[in-house]
Amino acid sequence: MEKLKLSEYFSEIYDEGETPKFKVFIDGKWVKTEQKMDLVSPIDGTKIAEVGSVSESDIRKAVDSAVNNKSKIRGMAAIDRLELINRIRLELEQHKEEIVKVLMMESGKAFKSANGELNATIERLRLSMEDSKKITGEYLPGDWSSDTTQKIALVIREPLGVVLGISPFNYPVYTSVAKVMPALLSGNSVILKPPSSDPLAFLMCAEVFRKAGVPPGTLQVLTGSGSLSGDLLTKDEGINMISFTGSTDVGKHIASIAGLKKLHLELGGKGTALIMEDADLDLAAKECVKGSLELAGQRCDAVSRIIALEPIYDAFVKKLEEHMNDYSFGNPMEGDKITMGPVISVKAAERIDKMVKDAVSKGAKLLKGGSHKEAYYEPTLLADVPLDADIANEETFGPVVTVIKAKDKDSAISIANKSKYGLDSAVFTKDFYSAWETMKALQVGNVTLNSAPSHGTAYFPFGGVKDSGAGKEGVGYSIEEMTALKTIILDLSPKNLGKKYFGSFKD
Ligand code: NAP
Ligand code: MG
């Protein structure tokens, strides 16, 4: 792998040397940390950088700065906050190419996926106009009860204070910006902890935020291991809200130690596609392969298992085999023709391999793939997967098309709903009533008809039920999560200015 070297624009965020050493962003400045972590690329196993690992005192400084400076963002006129977001978007657009390349190097994403992530991020910033419209309130007359006919209320939305955002490795830029932007827009200061395996592209974005004029101290970016720095941040009393995207295990852990902070949890999923008897099989197969292999399956909204009905099962599996050739698998640095790269680490590939082997030992048929070299896990097709196989139930997070046979619609829905997760799903059918019945019956936060789930810029609200989390992310919806309603009640009775009460129905 070529040596990582950034343009002059990003010169403050790292020190060059044999291995580039990245800094952290505290109190408006890029600072070195005493401890460092190695960043190894899944593409060829080379160490491409060292990133900062924050100490307890770095965390203290960052939280204090976020608390002390929150009035800078809260006090800014809304139109100035919007203009700031707009400058960030335009500046990000100018540096996109360089950020995409670093994202590919650190995460192993194919060009199309890395470029798509930056495009979605930029589009998300453009849609911030829409976000800002959610920062309003309501006037409520006291009409409902005889107690309040002389009162009126204003319900206003206020920032929470300091928001801690924690983001996962699979969309390190998009999910981070999807937390920072609404936090700032709604007048909160924000601390962002990106994932340790691929934080560089977001560190570059933070420099764009700084240069575009984010008030010093209103954004802090801290790298460091989740289990150490994450725990300290999660427990810190200076933080008012945590917006976490990541695995269910870590989400539950955060909930157990966060105390009474407001929590927004976007967790794991077992995205299920249901293929009905009357589905367009070619479309369903194409979409299911895309949903399973895009980003090497490392998506919370991946098609992580497919339940196909018996009458069309064999024909559908054949179609899946054909569409698996739509993806070209290899080293993403070899060019844009590669559409699927390695998974995030050798350890992740080994975990996927264990799940595939477990399914085969329990009777699943391995029709394609099924092995890996280092972090490169082959596109894999498993059919006749039994319900007791781990891969039928646990999040795969790898490029495995997993097919389960069900005898009819009711049993397909029942299998789908036995999952502990409830994030995403898809239904393939041409029958409106069957689609409606199924989509209503599925216990999930999101369900898509006749297409693989895909949330693009998340204009639609996105978020799960059951073990997939709580709360909704999306243009506008994140603002609701990051603000609190305050009810201001005005009593007009001293001057008898309220509504007169003329007795109850009993009179
Ligand atoms: P993860 O292991 O849970 O890590 C997510 C983030 O949490 C990372 O920044 C991690 O830091 C940090 N972390 C780890 N331990 C922590 C602790 N004790 N306290 C605070 N933070 C801690 O998840 P991942 O492997 O990066 O990402 C994949 C998971 O994310 C999958 O389960 C996927 O479904 C889920 N996901 C969900 C959505 C959604 O919208 N529902 C979207 C994308 C991904 P380190 O990197 O330093 O460990
Ligand atoms: Mg992890």
Side-chain angles (χ1 to χ4, degrees):
M1 173 96 70
E2 66 178 281
K3 195 176 162 204
L4 184 70
K5 185 167 169 20
L6 305 183
S7 65
E8 188 52 33
Y9 183 92
F10 295 107
S11 60
E12 283 194 38
I13 76 170
Y14 75 120
D15 285 331
E16 280 189 63
E18 203 166 320
T19 315
K21 292 181 175 50
F22 281 78
K23 303 176 192 171
V24 294
F25 189 54
I26 297 178
D27 198 31
K29 295 173 278 292
W30 289 100
V31 293
K32 291 179 200 171
T33 58
E34 240 165 64
Q35 303 292 321
K36 301 262 184 277
M37 306 183 293
D38 289 347
L39 199 155
V40 172
S41 171
I43 292 175
D44 60 4
T46 53
K47 173 175 158 182
I48 57 171
E50 285 178 16
V51 290
S53 174
V54 286
S55 64
E56 210 166 335
S57 101
D58 295 326
I59 290 177
R60 194 66 271 127
K61 281 186 203 138
V63 178
D64 288 347
S65 169
V67 172
N68 295 335
N69 290 297
K70 63 186 179 202
S71 60
K72 285 190 193 159
I73 192 79
R74 193 174 181 155
M76 209 187 236
I79 188 66
D80 294 334
R81 291 197 294 255
L82 263 178
E83 279 181 359
L84 169 67
I85 302 290
N86 204 34
R87 283 198 300 280
I88 292 167
R89 170 175 73 85
L90 296 172
E91 196 132 339
L92 204 54
E93 184 86 59
Q94 279 176 24
H95 298 280
K96 186 178 95 172
E97 216 174 294
E98 191 178 0
I99 300 175
V100 166
K101 188 167 170 212
V102 172
L103 180 58
M104 290 169 72
M105 286 171 81
E106 61 179 336
S107 69
K109 287 183 184 212
F111 172 78
K112 190 169 162 268
S113 302
N115 193 50
E117 178 168 354
L118 261 294
N119 285 341
T121 304
I122 290 167
E123 187 63 0
R124 184 82 167 75
L125 290 165
R126 193 161 79 88
L127 288 163
S128 58
M129 282 292 239
E130 197 54 36
D131 271 333
S132 64
K133 288 196 185 131
K134 293 271 181 166
I135 318 170
T136 55
E138 281 186 293
Y139 157 78
L140 294 181
D143 275 19
W144 281 102
S145 118
S146 56
D147 291 349
T148 53
T149 52
Q150 286 282 343
K151 289 177 180 160
I152 56 171
L154 300 175
V155 184
I156 64 168
R157 214 166 251 292
E158 294 190 325
L160 296 167
V162 179
V163 171
L164 167 65
I166 304 178
S167 49
F169 80 82
N170 60 335
Y171 291 110
V173 172
Y174 180 80
T175 46
S176 301
V177 172
K179 298 182 188 309
V180 171
M181 187 269 277
L184 293 174
L185 206 54
S186 53
N188 295 285
S189 60
V190 55
I191 301 174
L192 200 287
K193 196 214 96 59
S196 299
S197 39
D198 49 6
L200 303 184
F202 180 70
L203 291 177
M204 294 168 81
C205 294
E207 179 63 343
V208 172
F209 274 62
R210 183 181 77 87
K211 288 201 162 145
V214 164
T218 59
L219 168 67
Q220 329 272 335
V221 184
L222 305 179
T223 50
S225 101
S227 49
L228 297 173
S229 62
D231 265 24
L232 288 172
L233 282 163
T234 300
K235 287 188 204 154
D236 200 292
E237 298 282 328
I239 285 160
N240 305 98
M241 188 240 184
I242 303 176
S243 175
F244 171 78
T245 304
S247 61
T248 297
D249 284 351
V250 174
K252 284 185 174 170
H253 170 71
I254 286 175
S256 74
I257 63 168
L260 289 177
K261 297 179 182 76
K262 186 170 179 187
L263 295 181
H264 177 192
L265 302 171
E266 295 280 352
L267 310 179
K270 186 71 191 167
T272 307
L274 290 86
I275 321 297
M276 303 303 176
E277 277 174 66
D278 68 333
D280 175 339
L281 293 189
D282 196 54
L283 171 79
K286 184 169 183 282
E287 288 295 313
C288 286
V289 168
K290 182 172 102 185
S292 307
L293 300 188
E294 177 71 36
L295 204 59
Q298 302 170 107
R299 299 170 50 213
C300 55
D301 58 348
V303 171
S304 191
R305 58 178 181 171
I306 303 164
I307 306 175
L309 300 197
E310 222 165 69
I312 46 91
Y313 185 85
D314 292 337
F316 176 66
V317 171
K318 232 185 162 115
K319 290 266 182 207
L320 285 173
E321 268 189 279
E322 285 164 28
H323 279 290
M324 299 244 339
N325 301 324
D326 300 349
Y327 278 74
S328 64
F329 168 55
N331 179 339
M333 296 327 240
E334 277 167 17
D336 303 355
K337 63 177 193 308
I338 300 294
T339 48
M340 195 190 110
V343 293
I344 192 68
S345 62
V346 176
K347 208 171 133 209
E350 286 166 357
R351 186 188 51 78
I352 298 159
D353 201 46
K354 203 169 151 219
M355 290 178 100
V356 170
K357 293 210 162 84
D358 166 77
V360 171
S361 78
K362 289 172 178 158
K365 275 194 209 133
L366 179 65
L367 299 178
K368 237 181 175 48
S371 67
H372 72 110
K373 271 206 195 84
E374 304 294 332
Y376 289 79
Y377 205 93
E378 289 180 295
T380 295
L381 175 58
L382 275 180
D384 298 1
V385 175
L387 292 178
D388 63 346
D390 290 345
I391 206 162
N393 305 293
E394 298 302 329
E395 196 170 31
T396 314
F397 245 58
V400 186
V401 182
T402 301
V403 206
I404 295 165
K405 193 190 286 185
K407 71 175 188 315
D408 55 26
K409 183 169 73 189
D410 286 352
S411 70
I413 293 171
S414 144
I415 295 168
N417 282 346
K418 278 202 184 102
S419 178
K420 65 183 176 195
Y421 295 111
L423 191 60
D424 222 319
S425 53
V427 177
F428 290 87
T429 175
K430 291 185 200 134
D431 178 337
F432 168 78
Y433 298 103
S434 164
W436 178 254
E437 186 187 7
T438 313
M439 292 169 95
K440 285 287 286 173
L442 290 172
Q443 297 161 2
V444 288
N446 317 264
V447 49
T448 308
L449 180 63
N450 290 332
S451 155
S454 162
H455 301 281
T457 57
Y459 184 80
F460 301 141
F462 180 66
V465 295
K466 304 205 279 192
D467 270 8
S468 292
K472 291 276 178 194
E473 198 147 71
V475 173
Y477 296 88
S478 302
I479 293 260
E480 291 185 359
E481 300 287 350
M482 292 178 178
T483 48
L485 294 178
K486 179 187 274 177
T487 311
I488 297 178
I489 299 156
L490 305 175
D491 187 353
L492 305 176
S493 62
K495 295 278 180 197
N496 201 24
L497 292 175
K499 208 166 186 172
K500 310 285 182 299
Y501 179 61
F502 294 109
S504 73
F505 63 91
K506 284 188 205 131
D507 298 326

